[in-house]
Structure formats: C-alpha cells, structure tokens
Amino acid sequence: MSVETIEPLRTDVPLAKEVRRLDRVVIRFAGDSGDGMQLTGDRFTSETASFGNDLSTLPNFPAEIRAPAGTLPGVSSFQLHFADHDILTPGDAPDVLVAMNPAALRANIGDLPRGAEVIVDADEFTKRALQKVGYDANPLEDGSYDSFHLHSVPLTTLTVEALKEFGLSRKEAERSKNMFALGLLSWMYHRPTEGTERFLRTKFAKKPEIAEANVAAFRAGWNFGETTEDFAVSYEVAPATTAFPAGTYRNISGNLALSYGLVAAGQLADLPLYLGSYPITPASDILHELSKHKNFGVRTFQAEDEIAGIGAALGAAFGGSLAVTTTSGPGVALKSETIGLAVSLELPLLVVDIQRGGPSTGLPTKTEQADLLQAMYGRNGEAPVPVIAPRTPADCFDAAVEAARIALEYRTPVFLLSDGYLANGSEPWRVPETDELPDLRVRFATGPNHTLADGTEVFWPYKRDPHTLARPWAIPGTPGLEHRIGGIEKQDGTGNISYDPANHDFMVRTRQAKIDNITVPDLEVDDPDGARTLVLGWGSTYGPITAAVRRLRTAGEAIAQAHLRHLNPFPANLGEVLGSYERVVVPEMNLGQLSTLLRARYLVDVRSHTQVNGMPFKAEQLATALKETIND
C-alpha cells in the first residue's frame, strides 16, 4: 500500500470560535484497558510539558491483564492537572471527562463536579454495553446527566470515516479513536501537535501506513473540534512562566527519575551499577529502564524470583558494585533474610520498595504507604536499616542519589520507599547541573589496616572508621585482604565467627549506633504565621498536604507544615519540632505507621489521619480534616 505523508497540521491560524483563558484544568481520559488511555494521557502530558505548563498526573489502571471488555473492572484512566502556576497534585476532581464507553462513564461520573465537561463516544452506547454496566436506559438520552455539559460524539464512526482511504479493516481503524479524542482535546486546549505526530511516526516506523492512519485520526479530531458547532469554545492555559527556576526541564515519572538517579549515583561513585531484580508491579519499569543503559556501566539481571534477585545484588556489592534490588511489598517479605545478611556483612545495598496496596497480592496497581514498619523492623534479630522516602515524582532522582550516599558512606543496606502514586505519576523535572551533585566516590581497602601486638600487619575486615563506624570495603581477589563472610555473628575487628555474649552485645549495639549516627539534614518547618498546629508528612503525601495547607492559609488559617525524607534515623531536631506545637497531625496512606513510631520515640500525642483506599489524598478533603483539628 502506498502511503502519502500528511502535511503538518496548522495550529497558528486564527480561530473563529470563542477562546477563554483558564488558570488550571483537570482532564481525565477513561476507557477500556485496550482503548489506549494511558498512551493518550501520556501524549497529552508530553505536549503540555513542552508548552511550559506545570503539571501533575495520576494514571489509574486495573491489575487484571485483560478484564472483560466493557466492564467496570476493566476501566483504565489517566488524569492530568495542568496550570499556569505551580501545582502539587493531579487534582481532586476532573473538569473534563473523556469516556470511551458506558463502563468508563459509570466508573468515573461520580468524581465530577456539576457543570463539568463530559465527552463520550456515542457509538459505544449500545443496548448490550449499557446493560453490562447496569444502565437501564441510555444516560445520554434520558436526562440523567443534565447537570453536566454532555457532548455525545460518534468517535468511532468519525474515526473510521477519516481513515477510509487507508484501506484498513473497521477493527483496525477503530483502534485509532483514541488519537481522534486526543486531537479533539488538543484543539480544545491549544496543545502543540508536532510532538505527537513525530511520536506516532517514530512508534510505527516499521508500519508507515499505521503511523499515517493514526496521524490522520489525530488531525481529524483537531479538525472536528474546529468545525463542529457542539464545541463553541476552546480554552487557553498559559505557560507557568513564574513557577520554575531557570534551567532545562523535562516531564518525568517517578520510576524514570529514580532510574536516572541510580545511574547518576553509579557515575558519581565511579562504580558499576548492578540491579538484581524480579519483575513486580509497580517496580518493573525500573528494571526496564536500567536495562537500556549499559553504556553507563549498568548491568541488569532479571532473576527467577525475589530471593535470587537480592542475592545476586548482594554478591555484586561484595564484588565492588553499587548494588540495587527493586521490588514492592510482597517482594520485600521474600528478601528479608538477605537484607539481614547485608546488615551483618555491612555492605552497601539499595533496596527500592515501590509500595502498593496490601496485604498479600492486595492491590498491585493502586498506591499505599503501608510498608514503613516492614522496612523498619521486618527482619529477624536487631537489624537496623536506614529508610528514606521521596516526596514527588521528580524528587525520586534526588532520593536515589541520597540513598546511594548513605549506603556507600556507612556500608549498609538502605531502604528507599517510593509508592505507586509517585512511580506512575509525572511532573516537570529540572535536569541538574553536574556540579550540583555530590561526590560519592569511595576508597576501597588496599592493604593491611591493623598491627598486632607482635608487630605483624594484618587486614581486619571489621575495623571501623571512627566517625562513621563503617567497616572497610575490600574487593575479593585483592592480595592480603582475604576475609571470612557469612551470616553468623562476627568478632569485632577480625570478622571471625564469634559466639561470645559480650561480643554479640557489642556488635548489635555498634550496628545500631552506626545507623543512629548517620548524618541527615535537620527538619525544615514552613510556619510563616506562628501556628499552633503542625501537619507532618512523609513520602507522596507531600503534594496533597501542601495543597491543603495552601488552601487553609488562603482562608486565613495559621498552620505549619513539615515533611520527612529521612525516616531512619529521624532528623536530630525532630523531637524539638514536635514539642513546639500544641497539635501534630500526620496524614498517611496506612493505618498510622509513622504516627506509631513518633508516639513511641518522642512520647508526643500525634493525631493520625489515615486513608487506605488505593488512591492519594484529595486536597480539599485533607484541608477539611486539618481545619477541624485547628479548631478543636
């Protein structure tokens, strides 16, 4: 089939229709898992980022590989919040819903405020499809949704008609209806188009007829918006020119930022990066991404199970690599014995836990923060491990570098607790300059480090640095540095097997002291008004908490905010901060795990505000809860 390349779409011509200026918009694309909603949302996001808006996204998809088509469990959605100012969350409720079938409409309509725009594919509202999701009558015709601005568009028919010249089967043509919808929304919000067309031609480079068909569908959607009377208004959201410091920016997801942070850490440490991993949602993207970077000295190993993955990583650490293992909550449980071994061997190892809803298999594609206590205590014996948590998708880069710093400097495994919300969500990220990044280079042991009473010079593998209490890192095969390893208790200094009670007591306390003495920055408190109430968060609650605090301050309420990155050890000034406020509220996506730690450590009556529904906090609901606490 000969394919004629379509000329670029003109988006610079004056529009005859009314154009309204908005400061922010929340859009949700929803449809079957096979409707390409994640791709559609990702493309809209990429063009929005290139336009210069601040943004935040929330992909939401089912855990089933392929739920039955047209059913509620099979609905996949992608929510994007973009604005002309800095924003922190993907938005509490959509201003616009694009629903590709009745299931998508029914699953999402309850989240919309009155007056929201609803765009549906009218072709999919057949009697059978309606009955499948419990509609007794067609809601597009019976007035059920008169409180919304409902646009009933025959997306499938229009797409098939637009692609007649390409000779595709109807089924093949229908697959491009997500691009028609993307084109329509791109017209409505004046999004750039060149990047999407370039993306489609690259993605389908080996099938140019499919590439041009998708471009044609995308352009048909744009042209439909421009010519139809059903859409009388388009909208402009100006770039967020004052939201970002000067620099080079790109849109980035949490897992991608974390991957780049690990690659950067390997370069900063001048060490090969080794990932031993077993695929698990929502951490698998890190394995996928790191496998692309062999040119940076990255080696990835997809193991047969979780235990083999961390075992290989620990072996790589023994051999002198910056070692990483990635997983989610169920995998952490399987890795616990080897994490304990890493504590005993005192070797640097990054354990990346992208948390999800539990217990057991739980909610693989939904978010939660319920692995904190597992990270703190989920091993036999006294096995302390540092724990840090990023607060935004872009912050995953810096958190990965910080985790590597602690692991290398203190010779310890380190937990990095991200979650599904951060992993799959995205936001603009300023690419750092190389001189802004820390020097992570380490010195390996090269010779004897201890002199015996008779004057003999020997190598003691557990002779510690007096400041960090870290033991020397000796590369296997270095002459004269042979030493015993294993999980049985070591003798202080020599590393020989020891069952001596006093030695065991000393080693347990020394390993704990090493973690307790890790240098971490003091906790910074944002309190411009001298508030009596402090809201303290950790991890991905940063965005909703900050958005809620902004709303309260705008309404005249005084409230302080602080956010923890380092969860073990806590910042040295945390106790003083907690004691200086009458009320401390800790919002968490669990049943109060950080609150439990704070009460036990500092004897402070922390008020826990919790949510475990698989979704991030909504700023408005959190603001309401915080206001009740302020006025209590």
Side-chain angles (χ1 to χ4, degrees):
M1 180 192 319
S2 63
V3 178
E4 180 180 353
T5 301
I6 301 172
E7 292 298 320
L9 180 63
R10 290 290 303 278
T11 61
D12 58 343
V13 294
L15 300 178
K17 296 184 178 182
E18 179 186 354
V19 179
R20 295 178 186 170
R21 188 74 173 266
L22 302 175
D23 64 347
R24 53 172 290 278
V25 176
V26 180
I27 297 175
R28 183 182 297 176
F29 298 93
D32 261 336
S33 294
D35 283 338
M37 294 296 93
Q38 303 303 319
L39 175 62
T40 305
D42 182 69
R43 289 314 312 160
F44 195 95
T45 299
S46 295
E47 297 300 344
T48 297
S50 68
F51 187 71
N53 296 120
D54 196 10
L55 61 90
S56 179
T57 69
L58 178 63
N60 187 16
F61 38 85
E64 292 81 0
I65 294 175
R66 190 67 176 93
T71 63
L72 294 175
V75 173
S76 175
S77 68
F78 187 104
Q79 183 163 307
L80 165 68
H81 182 193
F82 62 102
D84 65 1
H85 56 278
D86 65 313
I87 56 174
L88 299 152
T89 75
D92 287 358
D95 302 301
V96 182
L97 171 66
V98 180
M100 305 300 279
N101 60 19
L105 181 63
R106 180 139 206 164
N108 292 280
I109 195 71
D111 293 337
L112 271 63
R114 293 173 63 87
E117 301 266 358
V118 180
I119 303 171
V120 299
D121 182 3
D123 292 327
E124 292 295 322
F125 281 69
T126 63
K127 184 176 180 180
R128 181 182 179 189
L130 292 167
Q131 291 175 343
K132 192 180 293 186
V133 295
Y135 279 122
D136 296 326
N138 190 339
L140 308 184
E141 301 171 352
D142 65 2
S144 300
Y145 299 140
D146 284 350
S147 60
F148 306 107
H149 294 299
L150 183 63
H151 303 275
S152 181
V153 181
L155 291 176
T156 301
T157 298
L158 291 171
T159 303
V160 172
E161 181 69 20
L163 303 185
K164 281 197 306 185
E165 65 182 271
F166 291 90
L168 302 174
S169 68
R170 181 177 178 85
K171 185 175 182 180
E172 289 174 327
E174 287 180 3
R175 290 174 181 164
S176 297
K177 66 180 181 180
N178 64 323
M179 289 298 105
F180 188 100
L182 178 60
L184 173 58
L185 268 292
S186 297
W187 171 83
M188 285 182 65
Y189 293 97
H190 298 191
R191 298 298 90 185
T193 61
E194 295 82 1
T196 293
E197 294 190 10
R198 185 167 55 250
F199 167 82
L200 291 170
R201 291 187 172 113
T202 301
K203 180 178 177 63
F204 299 106
K206 295 182 179 179
K207 297 180 178 180
E209 69 279 6
I210 299 299
E212 295 306 323
N214 276 282
V215 170
F218 174 69
R219 297 189 61 195
W222 176 286
N223 292 331
F224 176 78
E226 193 171 39
T227 58
T228 182
E229 295 181 1
D230 194 25
F231 293 90
V233 179
S234 65
Y235 305 91
E236 283 187 349
V237 180
T241 53
T242 61
F244 307 117
T248 301
Y249 286 82
R250 60 156 296 168
N251 183 50
I252 200 166
S253 69
N255 272 352
L256 184 57
L258 202 155
S259 300
Y260 286 175
L262 294 174
V263 174
Q267 295 295 299
L268 295 167
D270 196 22
L271 295 175
L273 179 70
Y274 185 94
L275 173 67
S277 182
Y278 180 75
I280 183 173
T281 302
S284 300
D285 286 342
I286 301 172
L287 172 60
H288 301 159
E289 181 61 34
L290 290 181
S291 68
K292 303 174 184 177
H293 297 289
K294 295 179 182 178
N295 56 315
F296 287 114
V298 179
R299 178 171 294 178
T300 54
F301 170 56
Q302 180 174 321
E304 65 269 28
D305 55 40
E306 295 281 5
I307 299 173
I310 190 173
L314 185 56
F318 179 60
S321 293
L322 175 57
V324 185
T325 189
T326 54
T327 188
S328 190
V332 173
L334 293 169
K335 296 178 187 292
S336 62
E337 183 179 6
T338 307
I339 296 171
L341 176 60
V343 171
S344 176
L345 296 181
E346 301 189 44
L347 287 171
L349 173 67
L350 304 186
V351 182
V352 178
D353 177 7
I354 312 297
Q355 300 166 95
R356 71 191 205 188
S360 188
T361 307
L363 305 173
T365 60
K366 310 301 179 184
T367 196
E368 205 164 273
Q369 287 183 299
D371 294 349
L372 176 57
L373 293 183
Q374 180 178 218
M376 287 286 292
Y377 303 119
R379 294 162 296 282
N380 65 295
E382 297 288 345
V385 173
V387 180
I388 71 172
R391 64 186 188 179
T392 69
D395 188 49
C396 289
F397 177 91
D398 296 319
V401 174
E402 172 67 357
R405 177 192 73 84
I406 293 173
L408 293 170
E409 184 175 351
Y410 293 91
R411 309 286 196 271
T412 177
V414 176
F415 260 100
L416 177 56
L417 291 182
S418 179
D419 61 44
Y421 171 37
L422 295 184
N424 296 317
S426 64
E427 66 177 352
W429 170 58
R430 187 180 71 84
V431 180
E433 300 293 335
T434 54
D435 59 4
E436 298 173 358
L437 300 173
D439 184 353
L440 301 184
R441 287 174 295 181
V442 297
R443 295 179 60 184
F444 291 108
T446 57
N449 61 357
H450 184 74
T451 302
L452 299 177
D454 62 3
T456 303
E457 292 187 337
V458 296
F459 174 68
W460 274 14
Y462 281 82
K463 186 170 185 177
R464 302 179 182 278
D465 180 290
H467 301 291
T468 65
L469 299 182
R471 78 176 186 90
W473 195 359
I475 301 298
T478 305
L481 303 189
E482 298 84 2
H483 59 282
R484 184 190 302 272
I485 64 169
I488 300 179
E489 183 64 283
K490 316 293 188 297
Q491 184 183 51
D492 178 43
T494 68
N496 295 330
I497 291 175
S498 174
Y499 286 89
D500 178 67
N503 178 80
H504 177 61
D505 183 273
F506 177 81
M507 292 294 278
V508 167
R509 295 180 185 277
T510 300
R511 287 189 290 261
Q512 183 65 57
K514 181 173 70 169
I515 304 306
D516 292 341
N517 292 330
I518 290 174
T519 300
V520 303
D522 277 349
L523 180 66
E524 296 182 359
V525 181
D526 175 20
D527 184 6
D529 303 312
R532 295 186 300 172
T533 300
L534 170 71
V535 54
L536 178 68
W538 70 277
S540 66
T541 58
Y542 173 79
I545 289 174
T546 307
V549 167
R550 285 183 180 178
R551 296 187 185 199
L552 291 171
R553 289 177 180 171
T554 300
E557 302 286 353
I559 186 168
Q561 178 189 359
H563 207 78
L564 287 167
R565 164 175 281 181
H566 296 86
L567 298 159
N568 192 33
F570 286 130
N573 69 330
L574 178 55
E576 179 184 349
V577 168
L578 295 176
S580 61
Y581 288 91
E582 293 181 13
R583 309 176 192 87
V584 178
V585 186
V586 179
E588 298 181 78
M589 293 187 292
N590 56 47
L591 295 183
Q593 297 188 15
L594 176 60
S595 298
T596 298
L597 295 175
L598 296 176
R599 292 183 189 117
R601 175 74 179 271
Y602 300 105
L603 303 180
V604 173
D605 186 20
V606 172
R607 304 188 184 194
S608 186
H609 180 75
T610 63
Q611 174 177 297
V612 281
N613 60 7
M615 299 294 288
F617 283 107
K618 292 184 177 180
E620 184 61 36
Q621 294 175 351
L622 194 52
T624 300
L626 293 175
K627 185 174 182 178
E628 291 175 355
T629 300
I630 293 173
N631 297 328
D632 186 5

